[in-house]
Amino acid sequence: MPMEKTFDPAAIEAKWAHEWESRGLFRPARPDATPFTIVNPPPNVTGALHIGHALDNTLQDVLVRYERLRGKDALWVVGMDHAGIATQMVVERQMEERQDKRTNYSREDFIDKVWQWKAESGGQITGQLRRLGCSMDWSREQFTMDPHFTRAVVKVFVDLHKKGLIYRDKRLVNWDPKLKTAISDLEVETHEIQGGFWHFKYPLADGVTLDDGRDYIVVATTRPETMLADMAVAVHPNDARYKSVIGKDILQPITGRRFKVVADEHADPELGSGAVKITPGHDFNDFDVGKRAGFKAGEMLNMLDGDANVIQTADGLIPAEYLGLHRFKRDGKDGARELVVTRMKEAGFLIAHVDKDGGEHDFEPRTIQTPFGDRGGVVIEPWLTDQWYVDAETLAQPPMAAVRDGRINIVPKTWEKTFFNWMENIQPWCVSRQLWWGHRIPAWYGPKRDDDGRISVAIKGKGGASFQGDYEIFVAETEEQALAAAAKYYQADVFVGKSPEDAFDEILTSDSEHPARACIWRDEDVLDTWFSSALWPFATLGWPEDTELLKRHYPNDVLVSGFDILFFWDARMAMQGMEFMSDVPWKTLYLHGLVRAPDGAKMSKSKGNVVDPLGLIDQYGADALRFFMSAMESQGRDIKMDDARLAGYRNFATKLWNAARFCEANGISASTSFEAPAATLPVNRWIIGEVAATVAAMDTAFAAYRFDEAANAIYSFAWDRFCDWYLELIKGAIDDETKAVAGWVLDQILVMLHPFMPFITEELWTGLGDRADYPLITAKWPAPSAARDADASADIDWLIKLVSELRTAKAELGLPPGARLTAHFPASLKGRTDKLAAQLDRLARLEAISFDPAPAGASAQLVVEGETITVPLEGVIDIAAERDRLTKALAAAAKERDGLAGRLNNPSFVERAKPEAVEKARADHAAKEAEADRLTAALARLG
């Protein structure tokens, strides 16, 4: 059946995506082949394909298709992440639209609703990845909340706890008051906001004064509300102004709380007054100062609840008028910050800021670097809570050693420094989240017994019952195991209740400190999403079972990842993989850059410069988008979107389509030979050598993860050597040898191009021959068993250079391309011209070839490989008129070139103009410079 006249990407993409997957071609059975494994960074179940996904998955698919063509047992693991915070937000938002909310349901009923949402709406990205052409093993699609994966997560938690590598601790966390959960440092975004810097007097107690006679110390803060939980004032130990009062008491004016002036190097004598108020329960630096000052975490004061509203501190000293206020103004209503400033001002403890004009203000205006939650979108509150932590410092040691000794190869190498810097300074990893959707922490709590086996309860009035001492924690893989451990601990029957209140009731109703039954209750929190996804390289292969898949495909070969999740995910996979598998999770970690807007700006919805990859596929085709991503992926550099390049790669696909149609029309069909056919003609020997060189160049590029070099190698060969020259050179002389060679070369192009452009190559592969049982996706990577033929390459390369020079000269001199001219060659070239006479006649359009000296007069001088070919121009063009035209054009081009150079040499323009304006000026200058050079060369040709 003849090929369609016009290339239509949409018509073939859906067909082949279905064909490949339905026939199981993404994972052909190759039990004896060398395994090759990639795990896909699991997209969120809430996610849709964005341009970063398009880049990341294109690069992975290029590698997988390449290795599959090389005969390997290529496994590309695919799946989705349950995305705890994001998914719960989506479902809760939908409930709000129906005037409903999560807390109207039990935990179990809400989780059922999330599963229902997943079944109806989740996972749309998997269909979008198929549109991109991703050849993943969809038959084994994974989900981090699947039962087998959940079992792996629970086992990892329990095993780490047994080793002391997971523990519960009271520390400051990044608390998101909107989502009401702790989030990691990596989920915090810093924004610049306009805020204030307030200065207050804190009076010294007991008549103590500074050496200058003042009875107070000035402290400055950007968060006045936190003074309600102040516990110290810190000064530098070497600051002479305060040495006499170190260890003395100072008073907080609003609460009346007495605390010490402490010496700590955190206080900077050069900054403000040199004295810093310390609120260890609400500031990360202050937390460390507080610990150095001797405060235990349990003694540090907390003044906020989960909504960031003021609550009473443990010492009961916050005045009642502050209780219930939000931390600062919200929805137009003043909060604790505003009331604190008002009361301090009324009491004379506020020091006014005097501006340059002498005006007084409550605060000094400042631009404040303020932490926001990346999902909740509100200011993060440092909050003192009990959370679960992973000893990341211990787990980080094996991955660092693996990078140092080469077991993990980071590409590009420049990222190693960043990796080590983070890993060497890594902090405990908070892995508990206050959510309902996710892997519930496998820990149960119960009241502690004293040495006599008693459980003590303190009664503090109605609703004020509490257990004395910490809870006993039972970490287990199942509830049955937890009950067994608790029964052994309490020496009694144990049941699982909902909360500590159930345990209180059991003790109080038993009227005994040795109840016949004990009650434990499960931790309400879930694990950080990144905790479970850190197990992706091995849990997706069946761990903790010792499966054949796990034995064969762990460690993975390569991880392709954006540099922006190096710490979120990549480093944590290395930690967990080496801890539980005693081997690296992957041998190579390839980190790519970001896809940016055409002007180099980061894409964001707020800027309106986000690009929809599905829209690009609709416009240009998936193959063009994939090739763009690959050709532009240069190690260590970001990619700028460029519609012109996308259109160019769509044109490349069209050119290949038209070349295949030309072959079909001339009786050139699919090759029956894996190795290069026998060839005697120079043009055929030349193109076979070019295939061999291209295969070698691509193999070298792939080995070094140079996607750009591999893509550009096949692009240059297919467009320039095959389409532009080989097909032109064989026109009118297509004998049986040439048909065999041309068919074989086109097949090699389709195979080499397939990793980048799978849809068009598979369509052409099938269309050019009857090989339904030998699809391109599982064909063989070229091994031409041929080398460059030096003589043939020399002849054809010389011919191409000559024809190119002649065409350029005609264009510069205003001659039509078909104009037939006489050329005078050196006698030394007679053998070569005789050999290539037919091609010279057709491509060079030479009326005559002479070896006599050229006549006197104007002529074009063509220098090819050091030899000069002369083309007389007398009688062909009006020499004087042409010289005049070229001179004027050169003057105009030079004027524009020099004007642009002047602008670019002006520092004021380069520094003040918009980056895109400077970039355009540089491009325009380069174009005018090239034009001036071309016109200069044309004038030189006239003599």
Side-chain angles (χ1 to χ4, degrees):
M1 184 180 203
M3 290 176 57
E4 293 291 335
K5 183 178 180 180
T6 306
F7 168 54
D8 179 10
I12 65 173
E13 288 172 3
K15 177 181 81 172
W16 284 111
H18 176 266
E19 180 78 5
W20 290 325
E21 187 174 347
S22 64
R23 291 177 60 185
L25 298 176
F26 292 157
R27 188 79 201 292
R30 293 175 174 174
D32 299 325
T34 302
F36 177 81
T37 314
I38 288 183
V39 294
N40 181 48
N44 287 351
V45 66
T46 58
L49 190 73
H50 59 60
I51 200 69
H53 288 135
L55 169 63
D56 195 74
N57 286 281
T58 291
L59 300 180
Q60 291 175 73
D61 196 43
V62 166
L63 292 176
V64 169
R65 288 180 182 268
Y66 170 68
E67 297 295 355
R68 190 185 292 121
L69 288 167
R70 295 177 72 204
K72 292 186 180 179
D73 175 21
L75 170 63
W76 187 7
V77 175
V78 61
M80 291 184 296
D81 190 280
H82 65 278
I85 293 176
T87 303
Q88 185 160 319
M89 283 179 66
V90 167
V91 176
E92 288 199 63
R93 195 177 296 126
Q94 290 184 352
M95 296 176 78
E96 289 171 6
E97 292 171 357
R98 300 191 299 269
Q99 284 74 54
D100 201 357
K101 58 183 178 180
R102 171 174 57 91
T103 51
N104 288 341
Y105 301 87
S106 69
R107 183 187 190 117
E108 292 73 20
D109 288 343
F110 175 77
I111 290 173
D112 286 343
K113 286 188 174 293
V114 178
W115 280 108
Q116 182 181 348
W117 169 87
K118 178 186 181 290
E120 295 173 354
S121 306
Q124 63 170 314
I125 195 170
T126 59
Q128 296 166 339
L129 290 171
R130 286 174 167 93
R131 281 201 65 189
L132 189 63
C134 295
S135 58
M136 298 158 162
D137 184 9
W138 296 103
S139 68
R140 293 191 63 261
E141 186 175 347
Q142 306 285 300
F143 184 52
T144 50
M145 288 290 284
D146 284 341
H148 75 277
F149 208 99
T150 298
R151 183 186 166 210
V153 172
V154 169
K155 178 172 175 54
V156 164
F157 185 97
V158 173
D159 287 359
L160 288 176
H161 182 264
K162 287 178 180 176
K163 297 175 183 178
L165 296 173
I166 277 186
Y167 56 92
R168 193 161 172 82
D169 195 11
K170 185 182 290 291
R171 297 172 61 94
L172 278 186
V173 297
N174 297 301
W175 184 261
D176 188 317
K178 182 175 181 180
L179 302 179
K180 297 180 180 61
T181 181
I183 62 174
S184 75
D185 291 344
L186 299 172
E187 294 166 308
V188 176
E189 297 177 342
T190 300
H191 299 172
E192 287 188 349
I193 65 170
Q194 295 305 308
F197 200 45
W198 286 265
H199 293 75
F200 299 105
K201 300 175 183 177
Y202 273 26
L204 291 159
D206 307 321
V208 172
T209 62
L210 298 174
D211 291 345
D212 62 6
R214 284 182 294 150
D215 61 356
Y216 61 86
I217 291 177
V218 175
V219 296
T221 180
T222 59
R223 303 183 66 209
E225 67 277 11
T226 61
M227 68 173 59
L228 299 175
D230 279 353
M231 298 185 72
V233 167
V235 297
H236 195 279
N238 298 326
D239 192 333
R241 294 170 295 177
Y242 303 113
K243 274 195 172 184
S244 63
V245 297
I246 291 174
K248 304 296 184 182
D249 282 358
I250 196 166
L251 296 172
Q252 205 294 310
I254 290 178
T255 62
R257 187 178 298 119
R258 288 176 71 107
F259 42 73
K260 299 292 184 183
V261 178
V262 300
D264 196 284
E265 292 184 355
H266 170 65
D268 184 354
E270 304 300 321
L271 184 62
S273 68
V276 185
K277 64 182 229 39
I278 301 301
T279 318
H282 293 282
D283 183 275
F284 288 101
N285 289 323
D286 291 5
F287 179 80
D288 292 335
V289 174
K291 287 196 298 183
R292 290 193 291 270
F295 296 115
K296 296 178 181 178
E299 300 170 343
M300 296 178 184
L301 297 176
N302 173 48
M303 57 165 279
L304 298 173
D305 63 14
D307 293 303
N309 296 327
V310 178
I311 59 172
Q312 188 56 268
T313 51
D315 60 7
L317 293 178
I318 296 180
E321 64 176 332
Y322 293 91
L323 302 180
L325 294 178
H326 193 59
R327 53 187 167 165
F328 44 64
K329 181 179 284 190
R330 181 176 63 176
D331 300 329
K333 183 179 178 181
D334 282 352
R337 175 177 298 178
E338 290 72 28
L339 184 57
V340 162
V341 172
T342 297
R343 294 292 181 257
M344 291 290 281
K345 185 176 182 180
E346 290 172 350
F349 293 111
L350 173 69
I351 299 175
H353 168 67
V354 180
D355 63 26
K356 61 181 180 180
D357 298 320
E360 291 192 356
H361 309 274
D362 287 352
F363 62 85
E364 175 188 350
R366 287 277 185 95
T367 299
I368 310 295
Q369 301 290 326
T370 306
F372 282 76
D374 63 350
R375 293 192 182 276
V378 299
V379 176
I380 292 303
E381 185 63 45
W383 204 43
L384 194 62
T385 62
D386 291 302
Q387 302 284 347
W388 288 94
Y389 291 88
V390 169
D391 180 358
E393 182 180 2
T394 298
L395 292 180
Q397 302 310 310
M400 285 194 288
V403 172
R404 288 192 178 99
D405 64 27
R407 283 174 291 155
I408 293 178
N409 176 35
I410 297 180
V411 180
K413 287 287 187 186
T414 50
W415 281 107
E416 284 190 2
K417 182 178 179 181
T418 305
F419 172 82
F420 284 123
N421 183 60
W422 190 73
M423 295 287 267
E424 288 167 355
N425 296 282
I426 200 165
Q427 297 297 307
W429 174 17
C430 177
V431 294
S432 44
R433 297 292 182 267
Q434 289 64 53
L435 303 168
W436 281 1
W437 172 246
H439 297 104
R440 194 167 177 182
I441 290 175
W444 288 259
Y445 302 94
K448 253 191 187 311
R449 304 184 329 164
D450 62 19
D451 293 340
D452 296 323
R454 294 176 301 181
I455 298 171
S456 300
V457 178
I459 306 297
K460 302 178 181 178
K462 186 177 181 180
S466 67
F467 291 115
Q468 293 182 340
D470 296 329
Y471 294 135
E472 185 69 18
I473 303 174
F474 306 96
V475 173
E477 292 187 36
T478 65
E479 184 175 286
E480 289 73 20
Q481 291 175 1
L483 284 168
K488 182 177 180 181
Y489 176 76
Y490 291 113
Q491 296 295 301
D493 291 337
V494 182
F495 72 97
V496 176
K498 295 289 186 183
S499 65
E501 284 71 28
D502 291 341
F504 293 144
D505 292 343
E506 186 65 25
I507 291 170
L508 296 176
T509 55
S510 71
D511 195 29
S512 169
E513 293 175 334
H514 298 275
R517 289 200 314 164
C519 175
I520 59 174
W521 59 96
R522 188 167 183 177
D523 197 312
E524 291 285 325
D525 293 350
V526 300
L527 286 163
D528 177 15
T529 297
W530 297 101
F531 183 90
S532 52
S533 60
L535 318 185
W536 197 249
F538 55 94
T540 55
L541 301 175
W543 189 91
E545 300 298 328
D546 190 23
T547 65
E548 289 302 315
L549 199 67
L550 182 65
K551 293 175 186 176
R552 184 166 175 77
H553 290 280
Y554 190 94
N556 310 158
D557 286 88
V558 60
L559 177 73
V560 176
S561 165
F563 71 81
D564 51 338
I565 58 172
L566 173 59
F567 309 125
F568 272 118
W569 189 48
D570 306 345
R572 289 165 176 172
M573 275 191 291
M575 293 180 199
Q576 300 287 42
M578 297 194 74
E579 176 66 25
F580 287 93
M581 298 298 296
S582 301
D583 200 354
V584 299
W586 9 257
K587 301 158 193 172
T588 297
L589 171 59
Y590 180 84
L591 298 170
H592 60 75
L594 302 177
V595 183
R596 295 184 174 272
D599 62 359
K602 190 173 182 179
M603 291 187 185
S604 70
K605 291 180 180 178
S606 61
K607 293 179 181 178
N609 61 357
V610 174
V611 175
D612 177 13
L614 297 180
L616 296 176
I617 290 174
D618 291 338
Q619 186 175 0
Y620 301 107
D623 285 331
L625 177 60
R626 290 168 58 103
F627 202 91
F628 169 80
M629 292 298 184
S630 304
M632 298 298 288
E633 171 54 26
S634 181
Q635 290 179 12
R637 296 178 61 185
D638 290 342
I639 294 174
K640 291 183 183 179
M641 284 306 304
D642 188 335
D643 282 355
R645 279 188 175 270
L646 277 164
Y649 294 132
R650 161 65 192 262
N651 293 341
F652 173 49
T654 300
K655 190 176 184 78
L656 184 65
W657 185 271
N658 291 337
R661 289 185 66 241
F662 169 85
C663 290
E664 181 185 54
N666 285 276
I668 300 168
S669 59
S671 176
T672 58
S673 171
F674 182 65
E675 295 185 353
T680 58
L681 296 174
V683 69
N684 290 331
R685 301 201 317 271
W686 165 75
I687 198 65
I688 289 171
E690 291 295 308
V691 169
T694 303
V695 172
M698 292 185 70
D699 285 339
T700 299
F702 275 127
Y705 295 93
R706 291 307 304 250
F707 294 91
D708 53 343
E709 292 179 1
N712 290 324
I714 183 58
Y715 178 91
S716 176
F717 173 68
W719 185 298
D720 297 333
R721 311 307 261 178
F722 182 73
C723 294
D724 280 357
W725 289 109
Y726 180 71
L727 295 184
E728 287 296 316
L729 288 165
I730 66 173
K731 277 182 182 177
I734 303 178
D735 57 13
D736 288 343
E737 175 191 304
T738 302
K739 285 181 181 179
V741 171
W744 178 83
V745 172
L746 182 53
D747 272 1
Q748 308 316 298
I749 289 173
L750 297 179
V751 177
M752 290 187 284
L753 187 57
H754 181 75
F756 303 102
M757 290 183 147
F759 294 109
I760 187 175
T761 52
E762 190 76 80
E763 179 73 10
L764 293 177
W765 179 268
T766 304
L768 289 169
D770 182 14
R771 40 189 174 188
D773 294 333
Y774 185 55
L776 176 55
I777 189 173
T778 52
K780 292 183 178 179
W781 185 252
S785 300
R788 224 175 208 146
D789 185 309
D791 291 339
S793 293
D795 287 341
I796 301 302
D797 286 344
W798 175 86
L799 175 63
I800 290 171
K801 291 172 185 174
L802 171 63
V803 173
S804 298
E805 283 289 315
L806 192 55
R807 288 174 176 174
T808 300
K810 287 181 178 179
E812 290 172 350
L813 298 170
L815 292 171
R820 300 188 73 85
L821 305 172
T822 298
H824 292 260
F825 288 79
S828 58
L829 293 175
K830 191 171 189 312
R832 180 168 276 174
T833 56
D834 288 346
K835 192 188 308 181
L836 302 171
Q839 288 90 345
L840 282 169
D841 178 64
R842 192 174 66 257
L843 296 181
R845 303 275 182 172
L846 292 177
E847 186 174 58
I849 294 176
S850 173
F851 297 95
D852 297 329
S859 63
Q861 308 292 312
L862 311 178
V863 179
V864 180
E865 295 184 355
E867 301 272 16
T868 300
I869 295 97
T870 303
V871 179
L873 298 176
E874 290 290 346
V876 177
I877 60 173
D878 184 332
I879 302 297
E882 183 62 18
R883 183 178 286 112
D884 184 56
R885 181 187 72 80
L886 292 172
T887 301
K888 289 178 180 178
L890 174 59
K895 183 178 179 180
E896 289 191 55
R897 175 199 64 198
D898 295 343
L900 288 163
R903 292 178 68 192
L904 291 168
N905 289 330
N906 182 352
S908 179
F909 169 73
V910 175
E911 293 168 6
R912 296 182 183 179
K914 292 182 177 180
E916 54 266 34
V918 176
E919 193 67 30
K920 184 178 184 304
R922 288 191 176 122
D924 290 346
H925 175 264
K928 289 301 174 183
E929 189 170 44
E931 183 181 355
D933 291 344
R934 179 181 61 79
L935 292 167
T936 300
L939 277 169
R941 289 189 197 280
L942 293 179

